[in-house]
Amino acid sequence: MCGVVGIVSAMGAPVNQEIYDALTILQHRGQDAAGIVTHQGGRFYQRKENGLVKDVFRTRHMRDLHGSTGLGHVRYPTAGSSSSSEAQPFYVNSPYGIVLGHNGNLTNTEQLSQEIYQQDLRHLNTNSDSEVLLNVFAHELMNQKKLFVDQKDIFNAVRSVHRRVRGGYAAIGIVSGVGLFAFRDPYALRPLIVGKRVNAAGSTDYMIASESVALDGLGFTRYRDVAPGEAVVVTPEGQIFFEQCHDNPVYSPCIFEFVYFARPDSMIDDISVYKSRLRMGEKLAEKIQREWQGHDIDVVMPIPDTSRTSALQLAAMLNVPYREGFIKNRYIGRTFIMPGQTQRKKSVRQKLNAIDLEFEGKNVLLVDDSIVRGTTSGEIVQMARDAGAKNVYFASAAPAVRYPYVYGIDMPSASELVANNRTTEEVAAFIGADKLIYQDLDDLVEAVGAGSELISSFDTSCFSGVYVTGDITPEYLASIDKSRNDDAKTQQKTPTPEAIGLHNQGS
Ligand SMILES: O=P(O)(O)OC[C@H]1O[C@H](OP(=O)(O)OP(=O)(O)O)[C@H](O)[C@@H]1O
Ligand SMILES: NC(=O)CC[C@H](N)C(=O)O
Ligand SMILES: [Mg+2]
């Protein structure tokens, strides 16, 4: 669930620092690698590497990122490897010079890779699906057969991208000589929003980002979400163009963004993530009242960070004290998006510590936003017991995650999901909880959907097994399981870490 951002300063001011700042705000979407590309005078300038934003960019790199148009990316790999050669943005020199950063995951990468070699006569140098997406776009732009292209040609190329590419994609790029462009898959699986800001010269700067929280932090206001299938082009002078590039777009954003990925202070598709999480807490409290009549919960506790919002509301609805019995080490990142199970498990213990007095002799209801592999919940239940809890109950603000996810969250293997082939009671036993309760899927959909008059359907595939794109076969699921389960990833030979192509500035 990477983060992408693009900025155009219409008054020609450098955008390097603003892109850096935006990436730090989007860091929760990807912790493995970061990159920035800027454009000035027909040249691209790049810095990308594995690591957190604060570690990847040094002053010497920042100094060399020239230009008033640029884009940035934070990566959480869902395809290929975690080699730094797959850090984004990607670059191709033909046609015109194009760079692109992608959030999402393509589901027909193999077929596209073959087409790229055999029909488009282009070369791929990594196993990244995002490099594939860039090359399809580049080929389709080349097909416009023009010496000079403009926004109409970019829109035509995106139309063809939609015809060829399957899966989830929100992408931002730059075509040298034209400007910044962005597009979103026809289901709007991955978020993408445009913001604007009047600058000191009185002209309008534009910013496109994965989440609105990045706009807020830089003084941009929300202009509008990119619609499913839509594309947008911003010229270096700050002219903006939108065009619908798909004949049959179906608004079905990924519901897991609201459950876990997005920051609560973001608005996605005009829905407040914060309010949707409050409603998740409300619905879950109603279910507890229905199913655990006369419950004996003494205290409700969130598992920081993400479940805080829903746990707070759940406690209020149950009229039970809300206590923060687990304290989070703010220097440890999100554990779910860490690359291997050993690292994830170790990090939960380093990340969270219990305040014993909140547990001693109490019936504690621990609330998490979701239980995926059970890494967090298993460790946390044990920590609650060690801290002296009498009974440890567990509530998940999302339904049981039983199916692999294919559109941009790295959950490729059903067998790694703790709820796969297990009943609620079996999961409770597995994580060591005395009782476990999951949100119902209808309630989750209502909790998020209540924030929108426009959107009535969401991608709920990891809970329901229903894939909105309608083209996910058991064979495909078997193949990603085989290639991307934790063991396979550990055994993967890391390809050469040096990115071939555009050299890093000042590295
Ligand atoms: O069942 P699991 O496989 O452990 O996955 C689910 C857990 O992982 C996430 O937390 P994470 O630490 O990534 O981020 P957070 O601090 O935003 O809650 C999520 O919020 C759950 O706590
Ligand atoms: N999380 C994402 O959006 C990943 C983007 C892309 N599939 C990659 O692996 O780099
Ligand atoms: Mg968590």
Side-chain angles (χ1 to χ4, degrees), residues 276-349:
S276 72
R277 287 185 190 160
L278 288 178
R279 288 189 292 266
M280 288 175 212
E282 265 169 47
K283 303 263 181 206
L284 192 53
E286 285 163 15
K287 185 169 175 191
I288 289 175
Q289 275 158 338
R290 264 194 329 267
E291 301 206 348
W292 295 358
Q293 278 171 19
H295 69 79
D296 59 355
I297 302 163
D298 296 317
V299 61
V300 170
M301 274 185 206
I303 297 175
D305 260 331
T306 300
S307 68
R308 277 206 172 106
T309 316
S310 45
L312 187 67
Q313 190 71 347
L314 187 150
M317 296 290 291
L318 290 183
N319 205 15
V320 168
Y322 169 87
R323 288 282 187 272
E324 301 228 343
F326 288 107
I327 301 302
K328 190 191 139 196
N329 175 345
R330 70 184 68 208
Y331 301 102
I332 305 266
R334 299 184 111 180
T335 49
F336 174 72
I337 61 174
M338 287 176 178
Q341 186 60 6
T342 322
Q343 195 184 346
R344 286 183 212 119
K345 220 170 152 169
K346 191 167 142 236
S347 299
V348 173
R349 286 277 176 164

Side-chain angles (χ1 to χ4, degrees), residues 57 82 346 349 354 359:
F57 304 99
S82 50
K346 191 167 142 236
R349 286 277 176 164
F359 293 83

Side-chain angles (χ1 to χ4, degrees), residues 1-2 29 73 75-80 86 88 102-106 128-130 190 408:
M1 203 59 67
C2 307
R29 299 184 65 84
H73 188 271
R75 182 173 189 227
Y76 156 55
T78 64
E86 295 182 19
Q88 301 194 32
H102 162 223
N103 169 210
N105 192 62
L106 307 189
S128 163
D129 59 330
S130 309
R190 304 270 62 91

Side-chain angles (χ1 to χ4, degrees), residues 45-191:
Y45 300 89
Q46 170 194 269
R47 167 69 186 164
K48 60 178 185 175
E49 188 50 87
N50 279 354
L52 296 173
V53 176
K54 71 176 176 48
D55 300 320
V56 166
F57 304 99
R58 297 279 169 217
T59 309
R60 63 180 186 278
H61 306 125
M62 296 300 290
R63 255 201 313 259
D64 289 337
L65 292 167
H66 309 287
S68 55
T69 297
L71 74 98
H73 188 271
V74 283
R75 182 173 189 227
Y76 156 55
T78 64
S81 73
S82 50
S83 157
S84 59
S85 63
E86 295 182 19
Q88 301 194 32
F90 276 99
Y91 165 73
V92 286
N93 74 344
S94 176
Y96 320 109
I98 310 173
V99 289
L100 182 129
H102 162 223
N103 169 210
N105 192 62
L106 307 189
T107 55
N108 61 339
T109 308
E110 222 177 282
Q111 176 203 334
L112 289 170
S113 303
Q114 282 177 20
E115 289 175 14
I116 285 168
Y117 281 115
Q118 291 167 9
Q119 295 168 29
D120 303 347
L121 309 183
R122 301 183 68 92
H123 176 253
L124 297 167
N125 208 54
T126 72
N127 293 323
S128 163
D129 59 330
S130 309
E131 191 188 11
V132 167
L133 180 63
L134 169 57
N135 275 276
V136 173
F137 174 79
H139 177 80
E140 297 305 333
L141 192 60
M142 177 102 103
N143 264 353
Q144 307 304 308
K145 302 199 188 318
K146 300 246 180 87
L147 183 56
F148 298 104
V149 280
D150 63 13
Q151 69 278 359
K152 289 189 220 77
D153 302 297
I154 291 185
F155 293 143
N156 284 338
V158 172
R159 215 163 267 125
S160 304
V161 166
H162 289 327
R163 274 196 284 272
R164 292 179 62 182
V165 168
R166 299 283 166 267
Y169 47 97
I172 304 182
I174 300 170
V175 177
S176 184
V178 184
L180 193 75
F181 69 98
F183 56 91
R184 202 172 174 192
D185 70 66
Y187 298 89
L189 285 157
R190 304 270 62 91

Side-chain angles (χ1 to χ4, degrees), residues 260 303-307 328 333-337 348 351 368-377:
Y260 167 69
I303 297 175
D305 260 331
T306 300
S307 68
K328 190 191 139 196
R334 299 184 111 180
T335 49
F336 174 72
I337 61 174
V348 173
K351 177 172 165 170
D368 210 347
D369 52 85
S370 57
I371 305 172
V372 182
R373 301 180 184 91
T375 323
T376 311
S377 38

